[in-house]
Amino acid sequence: MSKTRVIFAGTPEFAKVALQTLIDKQDELNIEIAAVYTQPDRKAGRGQKLTASPVKELALAHGIAVEQPVSFSLKYAPDDGISGQVSRETLANYRPDVMVVAAYGLILPLGVLNTPTFGCLNIHASLLPRWRGAAPIQRAILAGDTTTGVTIMQMAQGLDTGDMLYKAECPIEQTDTTQSLHDKLAALGGAAITAVLADLVNYQKNAEAQDENLANYAEKIAAIDGQINWQENAFAIQRQIRALNAYSFLNGERVKVLSAMPIKIEQITHESAGKVVSVGKNALLAACGADEQGVQHLINITGLQWAGGKPFNAEQIANSNKVSDGDYFTNEGGA
């Protein structure tokens, strides 16, 4: 029985985990990873050196061919580079049976989606149709969702609109951050795509259309999304800290808010929003705005980082003399 020829397309660590799973399962799944597609090398770090993606590094370590087209668009025809037409021809020459896509970051036109015999499968980090788009992990935490997961989707034109082949759920704990949830979903994605490739024809036969009435979109995260508004309730602020690069201003200095513990229901306050109520060795307690019931809670901040400095845990904050009871976290400009 001939092996199924797989093209893998992905770029960041999330995709690397899935690729490693497929590499480990090649014999079990009777597949051959014919090539890996990933984003062109980018400048990174203080030295701004060209850096390969995690997916490229893994592929090269296993002797897998790597392709890094800039675009698959037929309109892309540079004088000194590879055109979209040539990129499509190169893909077709690999004679792919199926293409597995995970956080690739490049638009795949219909001509590309139709190139593999069984089309293109996407590993998406949400339970579709909830959280289509660029930032499903962050948006799920911000929204207070208690469950998320991974969907294996048959790719179609449109943003994450294709039919669903497989879903796997994952609880969101009160202590989960974007990073911890990312790691759980990355592992889940590897297991999910393995299950689908083991019985692909059957999963495609029983594919489920998405309910457009339930669809919502995980918009790309902007830097301003991380600025804490202390008039928000403590639960929303704690989710913001877990989900984003959260920051505020303290005594005129910008400070990153790195971590916070779950809110204790009994920690009720009547202090002004943003006020530092207590600086302790276990947590810095700050007042927040009222929730929907008009109750104000304290938030338990356990990690801060001042500009140009190292991250401080709660005990280091307490011993730093950088913040005292009665100080205020403020919005930019002191508001």
Side-chain angles (χ1 to χ4, degrees):
M1 182 178 176
S2 61
K3 292 186 176 183
T4 300
R5 292 178 60 80
V6 175
I7 297 292
F8 186 89
T11 299
E13 191 68 28
F14 181 86
K16 176 183 175 182
V17 174
L19 176 58
Q20 182 66 68
T21 302
L22 293 182
I23 290 172
D24 295 341
K25 298 283 188 179
Q26 283 188 95
D27 291 340
E28 178 182 327
L29 295 172
N30 194 37
I31 64 172
E32 175 188 357
I33 302 174
V36 162
Y37 277 67
T38 191
Q39 286 277 308
D41 295 357
R42 307 292 188 196
K43 292 181 179 180
R46 292 185 178 181
Q48 289 292 286
K49 294 182 179 179
L50 281 177
T51 303
S53 73
V55 163
K56 179 180 178 179
E57 290 181 345
L58 179 60
L60 292 178
H62 287 271
I64 303 172
V66 174
E67 302 288 348
Q68 297 177 274
V70 174
S71 174
F72 284 105
S73 172
L74 295 178
K75 295 180 180 179
Y76 183 74
D79 295 330
D80 57 350
I82 299 174
S83 69
Q85 178 64 45
V86 172
S87 295
R88 293 191 188 198
E89 292 171 355
T90 300
L91 176 63
N93 288 338
Y94 280 111
R95 297 177 289 106
D97 292 308
V98 65
M99 187 172 187
V100 174
V101 183
Y104 181 24
L106 205 64
I107 294 174
L108 301 183
L110 187 60
V112 172
L113 297 179
N114 290 336
T115 295
T117 305
F118 296 99
C120 299
L121 311 180
N122 180 245
I123 306 172
H124 186 75
S126 81
L127 297 175
L128 291 171
R130 186 161 179 79
W131 302 128
R132 295 173 175 175
I137 298 175
Q138 294 95 325
R139 295 299 177 189
I141 294 175
L142 286 170
D145 291 359
T146 58
T147 304
T148 185
V150 165
T151 303
I152 306 301
M153 172 190 66
Q154 188 78 44
M155 295 181 69
Q157 285 188 307
L159 182 61
D160 299 328
T161 58
D163 291 350
M164 302 175 293
L165 277 62
Y166 187 99
K167 285 185 175 184
E169 292 190 359
C170 174
I172 302 177
E173 306 294 342
Q174 288 189 357
T175 53
D176 268 326
T177 63
T178 289
Q179 186 61 56
S180 68
L181 194 54
H182 165 281
D183 294 348
K184 293 177 185 179
L185 294 178
L188 198 60
I193 193 61
T194 298
V196 170
L197 290 179
D199 196 9
L200 180 56
V201 173
N202 182 55
Y203 278 111
Q204 288 185 326
K205 180 181 177 181
N206 293 286
E208 178 186 356
Q210 295 188 41
D211 186 342
E212 292 297 322
N213 293 322
L214 300 177
N216 63 350
Y217 291 86
E219 295 181 8
K220 186 176 181 181
I221 300 296
I224 192 63
D225 292 332
Q227 181 169 331
I228 296 172
N229 176 3
W230 293 93
Q231 299 298 326
E232 293 283 350
N233 70 72
F235 301 94
I237 292 175
Q238 196 251 3
R239 293 195 299 268
Q240 187 179 18
I241 294 167
R242 289 161 48 210
L244 307 175
N245 293 318
Y247 66 94
S248 188
F249 295 84
L250 184 63
N251 297 325
E253 291 186 78
R254 177 165 165 153
V255 59
K256 293 181 181 179
V257 186
L258 302 176
S259 58
M261 293 190 297
I263 310 305
K264 297 178 180 179
I265 299 299
E266 67 272 15
Q267 287 182 332
I268 297 174
T269 184
H270 299 288
E271 299 284 0
S272 300
K275 183 178 180 179
V276 176
V277 175
S278 174
V279 182
K281 292 186 177 181
N282 294 318
L284 180 157
L285 305 184
C288 305
D291 61 20
E292 293 180 355
Q293 286 72 44
V295 179
Q296 286 181 271
H297 290 90
L298 296 172
I299 188 169
N300 312 305
I301 295 173
T302 56
L304 291 175
Q305 184 177 10
W306 279 263
K310 296 180 179 179
F312 280 17
N313 61 29
E315 186 171 0
Q316 290 169 327
I317 294 168
N319 294 330
S320 69
N321 295 319
K322 285 179 171 288
V323 55
S324 304
D325 295 1
D327 287 346
Y328 274 86
F329 287 101
T330 63
N331 299 335
E332 189 169 11

